[in-house]
Amino acid sequence: MSKFFNGLEKYIYWTSIPKMGINDIVDILIVSVMIYLIVKWIKTTRAWVLLKGIIILLCIAFAAYILQLHTVSWILSNTMSVGITAILIVFQPELRNALEQLGRKNWVTDIFSTESRQEEQEYTARTLQEISRAAIEMGKVKTGALIVLERTVALGEYERTGIPIDAKVSSQLLINIFEHNTPLHDGAVIIRNNRVVSATCYLPLSDSVEIDKEMGTRHRAAVGISEVSDSLTVIVSEETGGISIARDGKIIRHLDPQGLRDELSVLREEKGQNKKFKLWKGRNRNEKKN
């Protein structure tokens, strides 16, 4: 009987809530705030996609450990150590910017701020129409332009290199931004959730050898941003007035007005297909429950 009570006492001890002091509460709050700020920062950079990939690899490693897949476990364990060093090298600019922002931010307002990045929203027909109209008009007078439409991959790190705008998309606004000899004409415009969020943004240049030598920096920047994100970029050539679109590391050139509208309409079609797929999954789930 004494053994039974001793075992019961140990069980109650392990399942009981430990005593918490003020130091423990402060410790938990500090760690929670740190994790929140790190995740919030990651979601505005390309590191968010990398984090998803790391989570998938950890799930594979856990499954390999459970199923005793020794070869897979050996490969993952040996590549993880090298992968951490590679991550630090690849994302060195992002980490440097994060440390620079560490001393510039107002942490009190940042922690209690209710603003957060919204999920990818569908680009309205009006927004795409205004963008195509602006590109066509600028092409007629050979005004160079670079318009980036953000999708699921956040472009916060490139947005911060420009000047904040936060205005509703209109053809008149875009034409005025890229007008010659104006303060905002140099660089790219980033559009998110049907709003112009930033202008004069610097984009990464592509090193691809497949790009035609006659294309300049504007086209290489458009291809470069499409290589590191799933964005779609509209380019208007300053030399020829030709309109192009860069997407998935490729560039489509010499688009006529109808071709430009067709390429932009893909954004709405893909979003609609994703919605249909989600509705179809939900309908199947409900049918199984019934």
Side-chain angles (χ1 to χ4, degrees), residues 41-284:
W41 168 76
I42 287 176
K43 289 192 70 175
T44 61
T45 65
R46 289 180 294 152
W48 181 244
V49 180
L50 177 69
L51 181 62
K52 293 180 182 178
I54 292 175
I55 292 173
I56 293 174
L57 287 177
L58 291 176
C59 293
I60 294 174
F62 180 73
Y65 174 77
I66 296 296
L67 300 175
Q68 297 295 311
L69 303 177
H70 302 294
T71 305
V72 176
S73 299
W74 182 84
I75 293 173
L76 290 175
S77 62
N78 283 274
T79 54
M80 283 293 184
S81 57
V82 179
I84 293 173
T85 305
I87 289 171
L88 294 176
I89 295 173
V90 171
F91 288 94
Q92 183 265 340
E94 287 83 356
L95 294 174
R96 183 183 60 193
N97 291 335
L99 292 175
E100 289 176 354
Q101 294 172 19
L102 195 63
R104 294 200 300 260
K105 281 191 174 183
N106 188 337
W107 293 106
V108 177
T109 57
D110 190 66
I111 291 171
F112 295 100
S113 175
T114 57
E115 296 181 0
S116 61
R117 183 180 182 272
Q118 299 177 352
E119 296 297 326
E120 181 198 11
Q121 293 185 3
E122 178 182 358
Y123 283 104
T124 62
R126 179 197 168 279
T127 296
L128 300 181
Q129 183 180 4
E130 293 294 325
I131 293 172
S132 62
R133 184 182 301 167
I136 293 168
E137 292 299 323
M138 287 186 288
K140 292 178 181 178
V141 294
K142 296 183 179 180
T143 299
L146 197 57
I147 306 171
V148 183
L149 284 77
E150 182 186 274
R151 302 177 70 193
T152 56
V153 178
L155 302 177
E157 58 190 288
Y158 305 108
E159 174 191 343
R160 287 189 288 269
T161 63
I163 298 174
I165 301 294
D166 192 22
K168 193 173 182 179
V169 177
S170 68
S171 58
Q172 295 86 351
L173 174 63
L174 294 174
I175 291 172
N176 285 333
I177 287 176
F178 291 107
E179 186 65 32
H180 292 289
N181 301 322
T182 57
L184 300 179
H185 84 282
D186 193 21
V189 160
I190 295 179
I191 297 177
R192 176 192 304 130
N193 297 340
N194 300 294
R195 296 186 69 82
V196 178
V197 295
S198 187
T200 69
C201 300
Y202 296 106
L203 304 181
L205 298 180
S206 173
D207 295 327
S208 176
V209 296
E210 298 180 1
I211 300 177
D212 198 333
K213 297 298 182 183
E214 67 180 22
M215 289 190 287
T217 305
R218 185 176 286 111
H219 291 80
R220 285 193 170 272
V223 176
I225 193 66
S226 70
E227 290 174 341
V228 299
S229 70
D230 60 347
S231 62
L232 185 147
T233 305
V234 179
I235 315 107
V236 181
S237 174
E238 190 173 0
E239 289 76 19
T240 64
I243 301 173
S244 308
I245 276 185
R247 181 183 182 188
D248 300 327
K250 305 294 182 181
I251 189 166
I252 305 173
R253 303 181 64 194
H254 308 303
L255 291 171
D256 57 13
Q258 186 57 46
L260 174 62
R261 296 187 188 98
D262 292 340
E263 290 295 331
L264 290 176
S265 65
V266 173
L267 295 177
R268 288 178 57 81
E269 291 173 1
E270 289 182 351
K271 188 69 177 180
Q273 290 174 359
N274 291 337
K275 286 184 177 179
K276 290 179 181 178
F277 179 68
K278 290 179 180 179
L279 290 173
W280 179 77
K281 285 180 66 178
R283 189 179 299 113
N284 283 351

